[in-house]
Amino acid sequence: MTEPLFDRIAIVGLGLIGSSIARGVKARGLARRVAGYDVSPEVRARASALGFCDEVAETPQAAVTQASLVVLAVPVGATAAAVKALAPHLARGSILTEVGSVKAAVIRQVLAELPEHAVFVPGHPIAGTEHSGPDAGFAELFEGRWCILTPCERSSEEAVAKVTALWRGLGSAVEIMTPEHHDIVLAITSHIPHLIAFNIVGTAADVEEVTQSEVIKFSAGGFRDFTRIAASDPVMWRDVFLNNKEAVLEMLGRFSEDLAALQRMIRWDDGEALLELFTRTRAIRRGIIDAGQDTQAADFGRPHGHED
Ligand code: NAP
């Protein structure tokens, strides 16, 4: 049996991501003990009942004081409050990491509170489902997925190596990039697609000529996949857009220009241009399948195989 990577891991925020990390760490023996804390008493009670942590603490202090690794897994908008509550209690030499879907804004908030005697490794697992809360987590969530780490001025090389080992232990492949690059890449691959889904589902609900029962009845025509994405956690997505404003607005500008070009192609019966674009996009889809990134495992709001 190999030695666990960590003596004691504390996970703050026991929803989909936090509880999946706890479950994965336990299942793969990556730490001797896993402590958990959540601001919500209901979530704490549920986490205790589900038993994916060795102990569920009643305060952030009790969870983190003896931990060599602290994983913050709260909504992006709750980062500042959560870090303020736990930072003074971080153990000397401990590593703080987190999983927020936005990096630059989260890093700013964490660095404002991080004590001198701890280091910080920001991260983002590219895995999730449209479900949230402690019941939604499962140990295999990160298997075969990417986790992006975006080291900052308070990340030591040793800490980055340890957090990399954690994600590899959970079954993910790790890629390193700057926080700014992460925010642009995720704006186009995740944030804008979600925005489009929220928008189209909202528009369909407001189209007066089409009844709601028709929308539901004929949803297999393409709409159904959008509804799945648009069912993602409202708090999480509000926080993503408010905290990745610049990159999202930049990508949205480009998207709107391209949409206007498509509008022109249709108006001027430019079938050749439409065909050229649709052929190009079909090739991109093939590339994703070839890269093994189109799996049932829940990314981009797709439900996990055993949940649907
Ligand atoms: P979630 O299921 O809603 O879980 C978040 C938990 O954190 C909730 O139980 C919440 O309690 C708790 N919380 C809020 N403020 C807190 C605080 N100050 N201290 C301790 N706990 C607090 O959300 P999630 O999907 O796991 O997302 C967590 C993070 O992972 C987010 O930053 C998100 O951007 C990122 N992420 C999500 C996905 C995804 O697909 N879901 C993928 C990758 C990364 P309340 O419910 O009472 O507020």
Side-chain angles (χ1 to χ4, degrees):
M1 210 103 164
T2 50
E3 277 285 289
L5 289 169
F6 298 94
D7 200 37
R8 182 180 159 106
I9 292 185
I11 300 174
V12 174
L14 299 174
L16 168 70
I17 301 294
S19 76
S20 293
I21 295 173
R23 287 171 165 108
V25 165
K26 299 286 313 162
R28 289 157 177 263
L30 302 174
R32 285 200 178 81
R33 277 191 86 68
V34 178
Y37 169 76
D38 195 286
V39 77
S40 152
E42 291 80 31
V43 172
R44 292 202 295 274
R46 191 66 195 134
S48 293
L50 290 166
F52 51 72
C53 292
D54 297 305
E55 63 197 80
V56 177
E58 282 302 303
T59 62
Q61 175 173 6
V64 311
T65 33
Q66 288 163 35
S68 43
L69 178 76
V70 175
V71 183
L72 189 60
V74 303
V76 166
T79 306
V83 176
K84 234 184 195 76
L86 69 82
H89 312 292
L90 286 171
R92 189 156 292 281
S94 62
I95 304 170
L96 175 64
T97 188
E98 54 79 40
V99 296
S101 306
V102 171
K103 296 278 52 94
V106 164
I107 291 171
R108 274 196 299 276
Q109 292 172 48
V110 174
L111 291 187
E113 302 294 334
L114 192 72
E116 281 299 316
H117 62 264
V119 290
F120 173 46
V121 182
H124 178 200
I126 313 300
T129 75
E130 74 274 36
H131 304 294
S132 36
D135 285 275
F138 50 99
E140 304 80 21
L141 176 63
F142 309 109
E143 283 177 10
R145 318 306 305 194
W146 285 99
C147 179
I148 300 174
L149 299 183
T150 63
C152 61
E153 68 256 39
R154 295 290 307 277
S155 316
S156 69
E157 242 172 70
E158 193 193 347
V160 172
K162 285 209 100 172
V163 175
T164 299
L166 171 76
W167 286 107
R168 290 204 177 127
L170 291 170
S172 297
V174 173
E175 180 126 338
I176 308 266
M177 59 179 76
T178 66
E180 293 73 24
H181 188 64
H182 166 279
D183 288 352
I184 291 172
V185 170
L186 268 291
I188 195 66
T189 56
S190 169
H191 306 169
I192 298 288
H194 276 80
L195 198 69
I196 293 167
F198 292 129
N199 188 49
I200 198 163
V201 174
T203 303
D206 296 339
V207 176
E208 276 140 19
E209 297 88 336
V210 181
T211 65
Q212 283 310 295
S213 68
E214 283 172 315
V215 169
I216 294 162
K217 195 162 149 194
F218 302 119
S219 68
F223 186 69
R224 193 171 55 194
D225 281 353
F226 283 113
T227 61
R228 212 186 275 156
I229 301 162
S232 299
D233 190 79
V235 171
M236 168 178 161
W237 285 97
R238 176 202 63 192
D239 291 354
V240 165
F241 292 114
L242 296 182
N243 286 278
N244 197 21
K245 207 184 236 180
E246 269 174 40
V248 166
L249 291 178
E250 164 70 21
M251 288 300 151
L252 204 53
R254 296 180 60 149
F255 174 81
S256 307
E257 274 177 34
D258 292 344
L259 196 61
L262 261 173
Q263 207 173 356
R264 271 182 84 82
M265 291 173 202
I266 296 168
R267 186 179 310 286
W268 299 105
D269 295 314
D270 191 350
E272 210 175 301
L274 288 173
L275 204 59
E276 197 262 324
L277 174 67
F278 300 161
T279 307
R280 203 150 55 87
T281 56
R282 193 178 222 194
I284 292 170
R285 167 76 186 157
R286 283 211 197 94
I288 291 171
I289 293 168
D290 291 348
Q293 288 299 306
D294 182 60
T295 72
Q296 278 295 16
D299 192 20
F300 193 59
R302 280 179 196 278
H304 191 246
H306 58 238
E307 289 171 340
D308 206 18

